[in-house]
Amino acid sequence: MADSNPGLPDGWAIAAIGELCDVNPRGFDEEPNDDDFISQVPMASVEAETGRMDPSALVRYGDFRKKSLTRFQENDVLFAKITPCMENGKIVQAKELAGGRALGSTEFHVLRSRGALLPEYLTHYLLQRRVRKTAEPYMSGAVGQRRVPRPYLEGLQIPVPPLAEQRRIVARLDEQLAHVEAGEASVQTALGKCESFVEQILALGTSGGLSHTDRFPTDISPADSDDGELPDLPAGWNWRRLGEIAAVVGGITKDSKKQSDPDYIEVPYLRVANVQRSRLTLDRVETIRVPPAKAKSLRLAPGDVLLNEGGDRDKLGRGWVWEGQIDDCIHQNHVFRARVIGDVLSPLLLAWHANSFGKAWCDRNGKQTVNLASISLRKIKLLPVPVPPRDEQDDLVKLIENYVEQAEAFRQTAKASLAQVADLRAALLHAAFTGALVPQDPTDEPASALLHRIRAQRSAATDTKSTRRRTPRTSKSTGNPGQGELPL
Protein backbone atom coordinates (compact mmCIF):
# COMPACT_ATOMS: atom_id res chain seq x y z
CA MET A 1 0.00 0.00 0.00
CA ALA A 2 1.07 3.58 -0.67
CA ASP A 3 -0.22 6.38 1.54
CA SER A 4 -0.05 8.86 -1.34
CA ASN A 5 0.10 8.89 -5.09
CA PRO A 6 1.33 11.70 -7.32
CA GLY A 7 -1.53 11.09 -9.73
CA LEU A 8 -4.23 11.64 -7.11
CA PRO A 9 -5.39 14.72 -5.19
CA ASP A 10 -3.90 15.67 -1.85
CA GLY A 11 -5.35 13.68 1.01
CA TRP A 12 -5.99 10.58 -1.11
CA ALA A 13 -4.20 7.25 -0.77
CA ILE A 14 -3.88 3.99 -2.66
CA ALA A 15 -4.61 0.71 -0.87
CA ALA A 16 -5.41 -2.90 -1.67
CA ILE A 17 -8.94 -4.11 -1.05
CA GLY A 18 -7.53 -6.84 1.20
CA GLU A 19 -6.28 -4.14 3.59
CA LEU A 20 -9.47 -2.13 3.45
CA CYS A 21 -11.99 -4.97 3.71
CA ASP A 22 -12.47 -8.40 5.16
CA VAL A 23 -12.79 -10.54 2.03
CA ASN A 24 -15.19 -13.45 2.49
CA PRO A 25 -15.56 -13.11 6.28
CA ARG A 26 -16.57 -16.35 7.98
CA GLY A 27 -20.09 -15.26 8.83
CA PHE A 28 -22.23 -12.67 10.56
CA ASP A 29 -21.07 -10.30 13.26
CA GLU A 30 -24.03 -11.64 15.24
CA GLU A 31 -25.43 -15.11 14.54
CA PRO A 32 -29.23 -15.21 14.04
CA ASN A 33 -31.46 -17.50 16.07
CA ASP A 34 -32.82 -20.57 14.29
CA ASP A 35 -36.34 -19.09 14.27
CA ASP A 36 -35.22 -15.76 12.78
CA PHE A 37 -36.23 -15.01 9.20
CA ILE A 38 -33.48 -13.52 7.07
CA SER A 39 -33.17 -12.60 3.40
CA GLN A 40 -32.23 -15.07 0.70
CA VAL A 41 -30.38 -13.61 -2.29
CA PRO A 42 -29.63 -15.97 -5.20
CA MET A 43 -27.61 -14.68 -8.14
CA ALA A 44 -30.82 -13.98 -10.09
CA SER A 45 -31.85 -11.42 -7.45
CA VAL A 46 -28.92 -9.15 -8.30
CA GLU A 47 -29.32 -6.94 -11.35
CA ALA A 48 -26.50 -6.50 -13.84
CA GLU A 49 -24.64 -3.15 -13.75
CA THR A 50 -27.31 -1.30 -11.75
CA GLY A 51 -26.11 -1.94 -8.18
CA ARG A 52 -29.62 -3.08 -7.26
CA MET A 53 -30.85 -6.30 -5.67
CA ASP A 54 -34.09 -7.89 -4.48
CA PRO A 55 -33.81 -9.03 -0.84
CA SER A 56 -37.52 -9.76 -0.41
CA ALA A 57 -37.29 -13.57 -0.36
CA LEU A 58 -37.14 -14.80 3.24
CA VAL A 59 -36.01 -18.07 4.82
CA ARG A 60 -36.01 -19.38 8.37
CA TYR A 61 -32.36 -19.42 9.37
CA GLY A 62 -32.54 -22.76 11.19
CA ASP A 63 -33.68 -24.47 7.98
CA PHE A 64 -30.56 -23.32 6.12
CA ARG A 65 -27.95 -22.92 8.88
CA LYS A 66 -26.03 -26.07 7.91
CA LYS A 67 -26.16 -25.44 4.15
CA SER A 68 -23.13 -24.20 2.24
CA LEU A 69 -24.43 -20.75 1.37
CA THR A 70 -22.68 -17.39 1.47
CA ARG A 71 -23.41 -15.42 4.63
CA PHE A 72 -23.44 -11.63 4.42
CA GLN A 73 -24.97 -8.72 6.24
CA GLU A 74 -26.20 -5.15 5.77
CA ASN A 75 -23.72 -2.96 3.86
CA ASP A 76 -21.49 -5.83 2.75
CA VAL A 77 -20.55 -5.56 -0.93
CA LEU A 78 -21.25 -8.60 -3.11
CA PHE A 79 -19.03 -9.30 -6.10
CA ALA A 80 -20.15 -12.08 -8.47
CA LYS A 81 -17.03 -14.12 -9.14
CA ILE A 82 -18.23 -16.54 -11.82
CA THR A 83 -18.53 -15.98 -15.56
CA PRO A 84 -20.65 -14.46 -17.08
CA CYS A 85 -22.10 -12.83 -13.96
CA MET A 86 -18.86 -11.01 -13.16
CA GLU A 87 -18.49 -9.64 -16.69
CA ASN A 88 -22.17 -8.62 -16.64
CA GLY A 89 -21.63 -6.54 -13.50
CA LYS A 90 -23.56 -8.39 -10.80
CA ILE A 91 -22.07 -6.26 -8.04
CA VAL A 92 -24.16 -4.72 -5.27
CA GLN A 93 -24.20 -3.29 -1.78
CA ALA A 94 -26.44 -5.37 0.48
CA LYS A 95 -29.32 -3.20 1.69
CA GLU A 96 -32.70 -3.66 3.36
CA LEU A 97 -31.94 -7.22 4.43
CA ALA A 98 -34.42 -8.85 6.78
CA GLY A 99 -32.83 -8.65 10.21
CA GLY A 100 -29.77 -7.13 8.53
CA ARG A 101 -28.54 -10.55 7.35
CA ALA A 102 -28.85 -12.82 4.34
CA LEU A 103 -27.85 -16.11 2.77
CA GLY A 104 -26.84 -16.00 -0.88
CA SER A 105 -25.19 -17.74 -3.79
CA THR A 106 -21.83 -19.38 -3.18
CA GLU A 107 -20.65 -17.56 -6.32
CA PHE A 108 -20.40 -14.24 -4.46
CA HIS A 109 -17.26 -12.78 -2.97
CA VAL A 110 -18.20 -10.74 0.12
CA LEU A 111 -16.36 -7.52 0.97
CA ARG A 112 -16.89 -6.08 4.46
CA SER A 113 -15.34 -2.64 4.92
CA ARG A 114 -13.11 -2.08 7.95
CA GLY A 115 -14.10 1.60 8.04
CA ALA A 116 -11.87 3.39 5.54
CA LEU A 117 -14.19 2.72 2.59
CA LEU A 118 -17.87 3.53 2.29
CA PRO A 119 -19.66 0.47 0.86
CA GLU A 120 -21.39 2.75 -1.64
CA TYR A 121 -18.04 4.10 -2.84
CA LEU A 122 -16.59 0.60 -3.19
CA THR A 123 -19.66 -0.60 -5.10
CA HIS A 124 -19.46 2.24 -7.60
CA TYR A 125 -15.74 1.58 -8.08
CA LEU A 126 -16.20 -2.14 -8.78
CA LEU A 127 -19.10 -1.48 -11.15
CA GLN A 128 -16.76 0.24 -13.60
CA ARG A 129 -16.49 -1.83 -16.77
CA ARG A 130 -12.74 -1.26 -16.93
CA VAL A 131 -12.33 -2.82 -13.47
CA ARG A 132 -14.24 -5.92 -14.52
CA LYS A 133 -12.34 -6.03 -17.81
CA THR A 134 -9.06 -6.00 -15.89
CA ALA A 135 -10.22 -8.95 -13.79
CA GLU A 136 -11.03 -11.20 -16.77
CA PRO A 137 -7.45 -12.38 -17.51
CA TYR A 138 -7.06 -13.51 -13.89
CA MET A 139 -10.11 -15.77 -13.91
CA SER A 140 -9.38 -19.48 -13.53
CA GLY A 141 -11.30 -22.70 -14.08
CA ALA A 142 -12.95 -24.58 -16.90
CA VAL A 143 -14.78 -22.87 -19.76
CA GLY A 144 -18.18 -21.70 -18.55
CA GLN A 145 -17.12 -22.07 -14.91
CA ARG A 146 -14.28 -19.53 -14.70
CA ARG A 147 -14.05 -17.50 -11.49
CA VAL A 148 -12.22 -14.46 -10.14
CA PRO A 149 -9.92 -15.82 -7.41
CA ARG A 150 -9.98 -14.30 -3.95
CA PRO A 151 -6.26 -13.28 -3.99
CA TYR A 152 -6.82 -11.15 -7.07
CA LEU A 153 -9.63 -9.25 -5.38
CA GLU A 154 -7.62 -8.85 -2.18
CA GLY A 155 -4.72 -7.38 -4.12
CA LEU A 156 -6.80 -5.03 -6.26
CA GLN A 157 -5.61 -1.45 -5.68
CA ILE A 158 -8.23 1.22 -5.15
CA PRO A 159 -7.93 5.01 -4.71
CA VAL A 160 -9.05 6.07 -1.23
CA PRO A 161 -10.24 9.66 -0.70
CA PRO A 162 -10.85 11.11 2.77
CA LEU A 163 -14.01 9.63 4.26
CA ALA A 164 -15.84 12.98 4.11
CA GLU A 165 -14.97 13.31 0.43
CA GLN A 166 -16.19 9.77 -0.22
CA ARG A 167 -19.58 10.86 1.11
CA ARG A 168 -19.61 13.85 -1.26
CA ILE A 169 -18.56 11.66 -4.20
CA VAL A 170 -21.27 9.09 -3.50
CA ALA A 171 -23.94 11.78 -3.15
CA ARG A 172 -22.95 13.41 -6.46
CA LEU A 173 -22.69 10.07 -8.25
CA ASP A 174 -26.10 8.98 -7.04
CA GLU A 175 -27.58 12.28 -8.23
CA GLN A 176 -25.95 12.23 -11.66
CA LEU A 177 -26.38 8.50 -12.29
CA ALA A 178 -30.09 8.80 -11.48
CA HIS A 179 -30.42 11.17 -14.46
CA VAL A 180 -28.34 8.85 -16.64
CA GLU A 181 -30.42 5.82 -15.68
CA ALA A 182 -33.66 7.71 -16.30
CA GLY A 183 -32.50 8.52 -19.82
CA GLU A 184 -31.36 4.95 -20.35
CA ALA A 185 -34.72 3.62 -19.15
CA SER A 186 -36.53 5.90 -21.62
CA VAL A 187 -34.44 4.59 -24.51
CA GLN A 188 -34.99 0.98 -23.41
CA THR A 189 -38.74 1.61 -23.20
CA ALA A 190 -38.70 3.07 -26.70
CA LEU A 191 -36.78 0.04 -27.96
CA GLY A 192 -39.34 -2.27 -26.40
CA LYS A 193 -42.15 -0.38 -28.07
CA CYS A 194 -40.27 -0.60 -31.36
CA GLU A 195 -40.01 -4.38 -31.02
CA SER A 196 -43.74 -4.60 -30.28
CA PHE A 197 -44.48 -2.34 -33.25
CA VAL A 198 -42.45 -4.57 -35.59
CA GLU A 199 -44.18 -7.69 -34.30
CA GLN A 200 -47.59 -6.09 -34.87
CA ILE A 201 -46.59 -4.97 -38.37
CA LEU A 202 -45.46 -8.49 -39.22
CA ALA A 203 -48.63 -10.05 -37.82
CA LEU A 204 -50.88 -7.59 -39.65
CA GLY A 205 -48.85 -7.59 -42.86
CA THR A 206 -48.70 -11.36 -43.27
CA SER A 207 -52.44 -11.69 -42.64
CA GLY A 208 -53.52 -8.86 -44.95
CA GLY A 209 -54.15 -6.31 -42.20
CA LEU A 210 -52.05 -3.53 -43.74
CA SER A 211 -54.33 -3.17 -46.75
CA HIS A 212 -57.66 -1.31 -46.77
CA THR A 213 -59.58 -4.28 -48.14
CA ASP A 214 -62.21 -6.10 -46.13
CA ARG A 215 -61.22 -9.27 -44.33
CA PHE A 216 -63.35 -12.32 -43.69
CA PRO A 217 -63.28 -15.42 -41.46
CA THR A 218 -61.48 -18.21 -43.31
CA ASP A 219 -61.53 -21.88 -42.35
CA ILE A 220 -58.52 -24.17 -42.03
CA SER A 221 -58.31 -27.94 -42.10
CA PRO A 222 -58.76 -29.34 -38.57
CA ALA A 223 -55.66 -30.72 -36.86
CA ASP A 224 -54.32 -31.84 -33.51
CA SER A 225 -53.17 -28.37 -32.50
CA ASP A 226 -54.28 -25.36 -30.46
CA ASP A 227 -54.57 -22.72 -33.18
CA GLY A 228 -56.26 -20.07 -31.06
CA GLU A 229 -58.36 -17.46 -32.83
CA LEU A 230 -57.15 -17.11 -36.41
CA PRO A 231 -57.20 -13.60 -37.91
CA ASP A 232 -59.65 -12.87 -40.70
CA LEU A 233 -58.12 -12.79 -44.20
CA PRO A 234 -58.79 -10.70 -47.33
CA ALA A 235 -60.73 -12.23 -50.21
CA GLY A 236 -58.59 -14.66 -52.19
CA TRP A 237 -56.35 -15.52 -49.22
CA ASN A 238 -56.51 -18.88 -47.46
CA TRP A 239 -55.12 -20.67 -44.43
CA ARG A 240 -52.84 -23.66 -45.02
CA ARG A 241 -50.83 -25.88 -42.68
CA LEU A 242 -47.06 -25.46 -42.91
CA GLY A 243 -46.63 -29.11 -43.90
CA GLU A 244 -48.96 -28.57 -46.85
CA ILE A 245 -46.93 -25.75 -48.41
CA ALA A 246 -43.37 -26.64 -47.37
CA ALA A 247 -41.12 -29.66 -46.94
CA VAL A 248 -40.14 -29.51 -43.27
CA VAL A 249 -37.26 -31.62 -41.96
CA GLY A 250 -35.19 -31.86 -38.79
CA GLY A 251 -31.42 -31.54 -38.74
CA ILE A 252 -28.39 -33.63 -37.83
CA THR A 253 -27.76 -35.08 -34.37
CA LYS A 254 -24.09 -35.02 -33.48
CA ASP A 255 -22.67 -38.51 -32.91
CA SER A 256 -19.47 -37.93 -30.95
CA LYS A 257 -18.38 -41.56 -31.32
CA LYS A 258 -18.31 -41.32 -35.13
CA GLN A 259 -16.63 -37.94 -35.54
CA SER A 260 -13.37 -39.72 -36.41
CA ASP A 261 -14.95 -41.97 -39.06
CA PRO A 262 -12.74 -41.60 -42.18
CA ASP A 263 -15.78 -41.93 -44.46
CA TYR A 264 -17.42 -38.86 -42.94
CA ILE A 265 -16.93 -35.36 -44.35
CA GLU A 266 -16.67 -32.13 -42.38
CA VAL A 267 -19.28 -29.43 -43.06
CA PRO A 268 -20.46 -26.25 -41.32
CA TYR A 269 -23.74 -26.49 -39.45
CA LEU A 270 -26.15 -24.06 -37.81
CA ARG A 271 -27.12 -24.29 -34.15
CA VAL A 272 -29.98 -22.65 -32.22
CA ALA A 273 -27.64 -19.78 -31.30
CA ASN A 274 -27.18 -18.99 -35.00
CA VAL A 275 -30.91 -18.75 -35.68
CA GLN A 276 -32.32 -15.60 -34.11
CA ARG A 277 -35.69 -13.95 -34.59
CA SER A 278 -35.65 -12.25 -38.02
CA ARG A 279 -31.87 -12.63 -38.42
CA LEU A 280 -29.05 -15.15 -38.59
CA THR A 281 -25.92 -14.75 -36.47
CA LEU A 282 -23.06 -16.28 -38.44
CA ASP A 283 -19.97 -14.90 -36.70
CA ARG A 284 -19.42 -18.29 -35.04
CA VAL A 285 -20.45 -21.29 -37.14
CA GLU A 286 -19.17 -24.66 -35.97
CA THR A 287 -18.43 -27.72 -38.10
CA ILE A 288 -19.48 -31.35 -37.83
CA ARG A 289 -18.47 -34.62 -39.50
CA VAL A 290 -21.38 -36.47 -41.17
CA PRO A 291 -21.93 -39.13 -43.84
CA PRO A 292 -21.77 -37.60 -47.35
CA ALA A 293 -25.35 -38.65 -48.10
CA LYS A 294 -26.59 -36.91 -44.95
CA ALA A 295 -24.67 -33.77 -45.80
CA LYS A 296 -26.28 -33.72 -49.24
CA SER A 297 -29.82 -34.26 -47.97
CA LEU A 298 -29.54 -31.54 -45.32
CA ARG A 299 -27.61 -28.99 -47.39
CA LEU A 300 -29.29 -25.60 -47.10
CA ALA A 301 -30.47 -23.77 -50.20
CA PRO A 302 -31.27 -20.06 -50.61
CA GLY A 303 -34.87 -19.44 -49.59
CA ASP A 304 -34.97 -22.14 -46.90
CA VAL A 305 -36.69 -20.91 -43.75
CA LEU A 306 -34.95 -21.98 -40.53
CA LEU A 307 -37.07 -22.39 -37.39
CA ASN A 308 -35.85 -23.32 -33.93
CA GLU A 309 -37.12 -26.54 -32.39
CA GLY A 310 -36.05 -26.01 -28.80
CA GLY A 311 -34.25 -24.11 -26.09
CA ASP A 312 -35.77 -21.46 -23.86
CA ARG A 313 -39.50 -21.03 -24.46
CA ASP A 314 -39.07 -17.73 -26.30
CA LYS A 315 -36.79 -19.47 -28.82
CA LEU A 316 -39.48 -21.83 -30.14
CA GLY A 317 -40.26 -21.24 -33.79
CA ARG A 318 -38.06 -18.18 -34.14
CA GLY A 319 -36.06 -18.04 -37.32
CA TRP A 320 -35.11 -16.46 -40.59
CA VAL A 321 -34.41 -17.07 -44.27
CA TRP A 322 -31.18 -18.70 -45.43
CA GLU A 323 -29.53 -16.75 -48.27
CA GLY A 324 -26.66 -19.12 -49.09
CA GLN A 325 -24.10 -17.24 -47.02
CA ILE A 326 -21.95 -20.36 -46.38
CA ASP A 327 -21.32 -23.15 -48.88
CA ASP A 328 -22.39 -26.71 -48.01
CA CYS A 329 -23.95 -25.61 -44.71
CA ILE A 330 -26.42 -27.92 -42.92
CA HIS A 331 -28.39 -27.57 -39.66
CA GLN A 332 -28.52 -29.39 -36.34
CA ASN A 333 -31.46 -31.38 -35.00
CA HIS A 334 -32.73 -28.46 -32.89
CA VAL A 335 -33.31 -26.39 -36.04
CA PHE A 336 -36.05 -27.20 -38.57
CA ARG A 337 -35.71 -26.44 -42.27
CA ALA A 338 -38.87 -25.42 -44.11
CA ARG A 339 -38.44 -25.40 -47.90
CA VAL A 340 -41.46 -23.86 -49.62
CA ILE A 341 -42.91 -26.14 -52.31
CA GLY A 342 -42.86 -24.50 -55.70
CA ASP A 343 -43.73 -20.82 -55.67
CA VAL A 344 -46.76 -20.94 -53.39
CA LEU A 345 -45.44 -18.49 -50.77
CA SER A 346 -42.56 -16.03 -50.41
CA PRO A 347 -40.04 -17.36 -47.82
CA LEU A 348 -39.93 -13.87 -46.31
CA LEU A 349 -43.68 -13.91 -45.67
CA LEU A 350 -43.37 -17.34 -44.07
CA ALA A 351 -40.48 -16.23 -41.82
CA TRP A 352 -42.23 -13.02 -40.78
CA HIS A 353 -45.38 -14.95 -39.98
CA ALA A 354 -43.44 -17.50 -37.90
CA ASN A 355 -41.79 -14.70 -35.92
CA SER A 356 -45.09 -12.99 -35.10
CA PHE A 357 -48.18 -15.25 -35.11
CA GLY A 358 -45.96 -18.33 -34.82
CA LYS A 359 -44.38 -17.08 -31.58
CA ALA A 360 -47.60 -17.44 -29.56
CA TRP A 361 -48.70 -20.53 -31.49
CA CYS A 362 -45.46 -22.40 -30.69
CA ASP A 363 -45.74 -21.33 -27.07
CA ARG A 364 -49.18 -22.96 -26.86
CA ASN A 365 -48.24 -26.10 -28.77
CA GLY A 366 -44.72 -26.69 -27.47
CA LYS A 367 -43.68 -28.88 -24.56
CA GLN A 368 -41.96 -27.60 -21.44
CA THR A 369 -39.56 -29.66 -19.33
CA VAL A 370 -37.71 -28.47 -16.23
CA ASN A 371 -35.08 -26.49 -18.14
CA LEU A 372 -36.05 -26.58 -21.81
CA ALA A 373 -38.96 -26.12 -24.17
CA SER A 374 -39.40 -27.89 -27.50
CA ILE A 375 -41.84 -28.39 -30.33
CA SER A 376 -41.91 -31.57 -32.36
CA LEU A 377 -41.49 -31.91 -36.11
CA ARG A 378 -45.00 -33.34 -36.35
CA LYS A 379 -46.42 -30.36 -34.49
CA ILE A 380 -44.53 -27.61 -36.32
CA LYS A 381 -45.92 -28.95 -39.60
CA LEU A 382 -49.39 -28.01 -38.26
CA LEU A 383 -48.55 -24.29 -37.95
CA PRO A 384 -51.35 -22.33 -39.69
CA VAL A 385 -49.94 -20.11 -42.45
CA PRO A 386 -51.90 -17.42 -44.38
CA VAL A 387 -51.28 -17.68 -48.12
CA PRO A 388 -52.08 -14.61 -50.29
CA PRO A 389 -52.59 -14.80 -54.06
CA ARG A 390 -49.14 -15.06 -55.67
CA ASP A 391 -49.55 -11.87 -57.69
CA GLU A 392 -50.00 -9.86 -54.45
CA GLN A 393 -47.01 -11.23 -52.60
CA ASP A 394 -44.20 -9.13 -54.10
CA ASP A 395 -45.96 -5.85 -53.33
CA LEU A 396 -46.77 -7.11 -49.83
CA VAL A 397 -43.11 -7.97 -49.21
CA LYS A 398 -42.05 -4.46 -50.28
CA LEU A 399 -44.65 -2.87 -48.00
CA ILE A 400 -43.55 -4.86 -44.95
CA GLU A 401 -39.85 -4.31 -45.74
CA ASN A 402 -40.45 -0.55 -45.77
CA TYR A 403 -41.88 -0.67 -42.23
CA VAL A 404 -39.12 -2.98 -41.04
CA GLU A 405 -36.41 -0.70 -42.47
CA GLN A 406 -37.91 2.33 -40.70
CA ALA A 407 -38.00 0.39 -37.44
CA GLU A 408 -34.40 -0.75 -37.94
CA ALA A 409 -33.26 2.85 -38.51
CA PHE A 410 -34.89 3.85 -35.22
CA ARG A 411 -33.35 0.81 -33.49
CA GLN A 412 -29.86 1.80 -34.62
CA THR A 413 -30.38 5.35 -33.41
CA ALA A 414 -31.56 4.06 -30.03
CA LYS A 415 -28.57 1.73 -29.74
CA ALA A 416 -26.25 4.62 -30.49
CA SER A 417 -27.95 6.56 -27.68
CA LEU A 418 -27.38 3.63 -25.31
CA ALA A 419 -23.70 3.60 -26.27
CA GLN A 420 -23.53 7.30 -25.42
CA VAL A 421 -25.19 6.58 -22.08
CA ALA A 422 -22.54 3.95 -21.34
CA ASP A 423 -19.79 6.43 -22.25
CA LEU A 424 -21.36 9.08 -20.00
CA ARG A 425 -21.57 6.65 -17.09
CA ALA A 426 -17.92 5.67 -17.58
CA ALA A 427 -16.89 9.33 -17.70
CA LEU A 428 -18.75 10.10 -14.47
CA LEU A 429 -17.12 7.18 -12.68
CA HIS A 430 -13.69 8.10 -14.01
CA ALA A 431 -14.15 11.64 -12.73
CA ALA A 432 -15.28 10.32 -9.34
CA PHE A 433 -12.24 8.12 -8.81
CA THR A 434 -9.66 10.64 -10.00
CA GLY A 435 -10.89 13.46 -7.77
CA ALA A 436 -12.53 15.51 -10.54
CA LEU A 437 -16.20 15.03 -9.65
CA VAL A 438 -16.38 17.04 -6.41
CA PRO A 439 -14.05 19.67 -4.91
CA GLN A 440 -11.52 18.69 -2.24
CA ASP A 441 -11.71 20.19 1.26
CA PRO A 442 -8.28 20.73 2.86
CA THR A 443 -9.86 20.39 6.32
CA ASP A 444 -10.85 16.74 5.63
CA GLU A 445 -8.83 14.19 7.56
CA PRO A 446 -6.43 12.60 5.02
CA ALA A 447 -7.12 9.03 4.05
CA SER A 448 -3.62 8.10 5.21
CA ALA A 449 -4.48 8.98 8.82
CA LEU A 450 -7.52 6.71 8.77
CA LEU A 451 -5.52 3.92 7.13
CA HIS A 452 -2.80 4.20 9.80
CA ARG A 453 -5.41 3.79 12.53
CA ILE A 454 -6.84 0.73 10.81
CA ARG A 455 -3.34 -0.75 10.49
CA ALA A 456 -2.66 -0.11 14.17
CA GLN A 457 -5.96 -1.70 15.21
CA ARG A 458 -5.27 -4.78 13.06
CA SER A 459 -1.73 -5.04 14.39
CA ALA A 460 -2.98 -4.86 17.98
CA ALA A 461 -5.63 -7.49 17.27
CA THR A 462 -3.02 -9.76 15.66
CA ASP A 463 -0.69 -9.34 18.68
CA THR A 464 -3.53 -10.20 21.04
CA LYS A 465 -4.37 -13.38 19.09
CA SER A 466 -0.68 -14.34 19.02
CA THR A 467 -0.37 -13.86 22.80
CA ARG A 468 -3.42 -16.01 23.37
CA ARG A 469 -1.95 -18.78 21.24
CA ARG A 470 1.30 -18.71 23.27
CA THR A 471 -0.42 -18.91 26.69
CA PRO A 472 -0.10 -22.50 27.98
CA ARG A 473 -3.29 -24.26 28.88
CA THR A 474 -3.74 -24.94 32.59
CA SER A 475 -4.65 -28.47 33.57
CA LYS A 476 -7.84 -28.76 35.55
CA SER A 477 -8.43 -31.45 38.14
CA THR A 478 -10.80 -34.16 37.07
CA GLY A 479 -11.25 -35.48 40.59
CA ASN A 480 -8.70 -38.25 40.03
CA PRO A 481 -5.32 -37.62 41.76
CA GLY A 482 -2.48 -37.15 39.30
CA GLN A 483 -4.75 -37.01 36.20
CA GLY A 484 -5.13 -33.73 34.33
CA GLU A 485 -7.82 -32.72 31.85
CA LEU A 486 -7.73 -34.81 28.72
CA PRO A 487 -7.67 -32.87 25.45
CA LEU A 488 -10.96 -32.89 23.54
Side-chain angles (χ1 to χ4, degrees):
M1 190 207 75
D3 286 341
S4 63
N5 187 292
L8 294 176
D10 292 340
W12 288 45
I14 292 288
I17 284 180
E19 185 168 16
L20 300 165
C21 300
D22 292 325
V23 180
N24 297 337
R26 288 185 175 274
F28 307 114
D29 287 344
E30 184 178 345
E31 189 77 359
N33 297 318
D34 280 356
D35 289 333
D36 288 345
F37 281 88
I38 66 174
S39 294
Q40 184 180 38
V41 184
M43 187 66 71
S45 294
V46 176
E47 294 182 6
E49 292 196 322
T50 66
R52 291 191 289 265
M53 61 181 282
D54 178 9
S56 60
L58 304 180
V59 294
R60 180 181 171 275
Y61 182 63
D63 296 336
F64 290 81
R65 179 167 50 84
K66 295 184 179 180
K67 295 185 180 296
S68 297
L69 294 169
T70 299
R71 287 158 167 75
F72 57 93
Q73 59 194 37
E74 196 79 7
N75 291 322
D76 285 349
V77 175
L78 306 181
F79 183 98
K81 58 187 175 184
I82 192 168
T83 191
C85 300
M86 189 282 290
E87 296 92 330
N88 292 341
K90 292 210 168 193
I91 298 164
V92 69
Q93 176 188 354
K95 293 181 181 178
E96 300 179 1
L97 305 179
R101 289 159 292 196
L103 295 171
S105 167
T106 57
E107 300 297 349
F108 288 127
H109 283 307
V110 178
L111 309 178
R112 187 170 296 167
S113 174
R114 297 190 180 113
L117 274 185
L118 294 180
E120 298 89 345
Y121 177 90
L122 176 58
T123 302
H124 282 307
Y125 185 84
L126 295 175
L127 277 169
Q128 295 179 97
R129 289 188 177 181
R130 67 171 187 84
V131 172
R132 305 198 308 272
K133 196 73 177 174
T134 303
E136 287 182 28
Y138 295 90
M139 300 180 80
S140 59
V143 176
Q145 293 289 310
R146 300 176 68 242
R147 294 173 174 85
V148 175
R150 172 177 171 168
Y152 169 78
L153 204 55
E154 289 176 325
L156 181 63
Q157 300 281 313
I158 181 171
V160 185
L163 207 53
E165 188 171 345
Q166 288 183 43
R167 295 189 182 95
R168 296 195 297 273
I169 289 172
V170 167
R172 181 66 62 84
L173 272 178
D174 287 345
E175 175 190 349
Q176 296 298 321
L177 288 176
H179 295 305
V180 172
E181 290 175 2
E184 184 177 39
S186 297
V187 176
Q188 293 286 12
T189 298
L191 271 173
K193 290 181 177 179
C194 179
E195 297 298 330
S196 297
F197 169 77
V198 170
E199 193 168 308
Q200 291 174 9
I201 287 296
L202 297 184
L204 287 170
T206 55
S207 63
L210 294 181
S211 66
H212 298 292
T213 59
D214 293 332
R215 295 195 293 169
F216 309 93
T218 306
D219 294 331
I220 189 173
S221 58
D224 178 25
S225 60
D226 180 2
D227 297 329
E229 185 176 351
L230 298 180
D232 296 343
L233 300 177
W237 291 47
N238 59 83
W239 284 103
R240 304 282 296 277
R241 300 285 178 185
L242 178 60
E244 298 171 354
I245 64 167
V248 188
V249 298
I252 189 73
T253 300
K254 187 171 185 177
D255 188 342
S256 300
K257 296 179 180 179
K258 295 186 177 182
Q259 287 301 291
S260 59
D261 191 318
D263 294 330
Y264 280 26
I265 60 174
E266 187 173 17
V267 294
Y269 79 115
L270 300 185
R271 300 163 293 121
V272 169
N274 300 121
V275 183
Q276 302 294 315
R277 198 172 299 281
S278 295
R279 61 188 173 89
L280 299 178
T281 302
L282 303 177
D283 54 336
R284 182 184 170 188
V285 176
E286 297 184 0
T287 60
I288 188 172
R289 293 183 61 81
V290 296
K294 196 69 174 177
K296 182 178 180 180
S297 67
L298 293 179
R299 186 177 298 138
L300 296 174
D304 286 345
V305 178
L306 299 165
L307 304 170
N308 280 335
E309 172 267 346
D312 297 332
R313 202 161 189 87
D314 66 336
K315 294 181 175 66
L316 295 187
R318 79 178 184 192
W320 194 233
V321 182
W322 179 251
E323 297 174 350
Q325 296 94 322
I326 301 172
D327 292 339
D328 300 322
C329 192
I330 64 174
H331 53 106
Q332 73 164 174
N333 58 311
H334 296 304
V335 177
F336 298 126
R337 183 194 74 195
R339 182 171 293 170
V340 175
I341 299 170
D343 198 29
V344 65
L345 182 65
S346 163
L348 281 171
L349 293 176
L350 173 56
W352 283 328
H353 173 70
N355 286 321
S356 52
F357 173 91
K359 182 179 179 181
W361 187 90
C362 287
D363 186 63
R364 289 195 305 272
N365 289 276
K367 293 182 179 180
Q368 178 75 51
T369 60
V370 175
N371 296 318
L372 296 173
S374 63
I375 189 163
S376 67
L377 177 62
R378 183 190 69 84
K379 191 70 79 171
I380 197 69
K381 289 180 179 181
L382 302 180
L383 172 69
V385 180
V387 178
R390 192 63 191 87
D391 59 1
E392 297 180 16
Q393 292 185 28
D394 291 343
D395 289 339
L396 182 57
V397 166
K398 291 179 182 178
L399 177 62
I400 296 174
E401 281 183 330
N402 183 52
Y403 280 109
V404 170
E405 287 171 2
Q406 292 180 46
E408 181 60 25
F410 171 81
R411 189 183 290 114
Q412 293 304 319
T413 300
K415 287 182 177 179
S417 297
L418 289 178
Q420 291 176 339
V421 167
D423 290 343
L424 178 57
R425 180 184 282 109
L428 278 170
L429 293 172
H430 178 75
F433 302 117
T434 55
L437 187 64
V438 298
Q440 281 74 50
D441 186 341
T443 64
D444 289 341
E445 180 187 50
S448 58
L450 182 55
L451 292 172
H452 285 314
R453 284 203 302 274
I454 289 175
R455 283 198 210 125
Q457 292 169 0
R458 292 191 68 204
S459 179
T462 301
D463 290 344
T464 301
K465 289 180 181 178
S466 178
T467 301
R468 288 175 179 169
R469 284 196 297 268
R470 291 196 299 268
T471 302
R473 298 181 64 180
T474 303
S475 298
K476 297 182 180 179
S477 172
T478 62
N480 295 323
Q483 183 177 347
E485 182 182 23
L486 296 175
L488 298 178

